[in-house]
Amino acid sequence: MSSPATLPSASRAAWLKNLHRWHWISSALCLMGMLLFSITGITLNHATQIEAKPTVTKRKASLPAPLRRDLEQFAAGHADARAPLPPRVASWADREFGLDVATIDAEWTEEDAYVALPRPGGDAWLRIGVDGAAEFEKTGRGMVSWLNDLHKGRNAGPVWGWFIDIFAIACVVFSLTGFLIMKLHAANRPSTWPVIGAGILLPLLLALLFTH
């Protein structure tokens, strides 16, 4: 099968047109993601030099007596297990703290339920004791930490994970179509192959020689 560079001029023009189309479409899809991942690549590489000042928010409340019985009975039957809060208790937590925890597993003991609420750029947790004492704490580490966690997909949820996969595929299309476009123009651009070779070999040599 002939390569794009050796095709007749009409076929070559059609190839080039399609490659340019896919190249600009993939570059448009990659634009914001590429900026995000490039900037956060720098911030992650210099994480120890970028100061983060965590902000901590704490709130307390008292679980109403009827719901305490629900919680106590549930805790007695689920000690050392993981299960969501009873529906009425979860609804109360939503009203009291603004937390949607109905489908999140809690860690249960006979004394309390502990709900871990990790999120990008911070952390949070909710503890409700069978005595009715409820505590909520949220920690935020700032915008840079939030963006860094999005870069890593840390605690960002499945939808963001799907975005990262789609973005990665778009980047592959962008890179390969760019390579093929350069190949088609290589005959008139003598520097094409040395530059491509440098782009391939330089990261490889740096990884082999300077990483441990």
Side-chain angles (χ1 to χ4, degrees):
M1 183 176 179
S2 299
S3 67
T6 60
L7 290 172
S9 58
S11 298
R12 187 175 181 277
W15 258 90
L16 193 57
K17 181 178 180 181
N18 285 322
L19 287 172
H20 274 291
R21 179 183 296 114
W22 282 104
H23 191 64
W24 80 255
I25 290 173
S26 59
S27 68
L29 292 174
C30 288
L31 177 60
M32 184 55 67
M34 192 73 77
L35 287 172
L36 169 66
F37 283 87
S38 297
I39 293 169
T40 51
I42 296 172
T43 58
L44 281 168
N45 199 39
H46 297 275
T48 58
Q49 299 165 287
I50 300 174
E51 292 186 8
K53 297 180 179 179
T55 57
V56 180
T57 303
K58 296 182 179 182
R59 293 179 59 190
K60 294 183 178 181
S62 182
L63 189 68
L67 299 184
R68 294 180 197 176
R69 289 191 290 271
D70 289 357
L71 190 74
E72 186 174 4
Q73 292 172 1
F74 199 87
H78 294 79
D80 301 320
R82 293 182 62 87
L85 296 173
R88 293 204 303 165
V89 177
S91 296
W92 174 84
D94 192 4
R95 293 191 303 271
E96 190 69 29
F97 299 110
L99 301 173
D100 183 7
V101 294
T103 60
I104 301 176
D105 283 347
E107 300 173 17
W108 288 89
T109 69
E110 292 184 356
E111 289 78 30
D112 63 13
Y114 176 88
V115 185
L117 301 166
R119 59 195 183 90
D123 198 7
W125 54 266
L126 171 69
R127 178 194 170 274
I128 307 176
V130 296
D131 60 357
E135 302 173 87
F136 170 64
E137 181 174 305
K138 180 174 69 174
T139 302
R141 300 186 182 90
M143 179 64 70
V144 172
S145 180
W146 181 71
L147 291 172
N148 286 347
D149 283 349
L150 289 183
H151 182 112
K152 296 180 286 187
R154 178 179 178 270
N155 302 320
V159 174
W160 184 257
W162 301 336
F163 165 75
I164 291 177
D165 289 341
I166 294 169
F167 167 72
I169 293 170
C171 284
V172 170
V173 174
F174 176 70
S175 299
L176 291 179
T177 53
F179 171 77
L180 291 173
I181 289 170
M182 288 189 294
K183 182 178 180 182
L184 287 171
H185 289 298
N188 299 319
R189 298 173 183 173
S191 63
T192 297
W193 293 118
V195 173
I196 291 176
I200 294 172
L201 291 176
L202 184 59
L204 180 61
L205 288 174
L206 290 175
L208 292 175
L209 296 176
F210 299 104
T211 60
H212 303 283

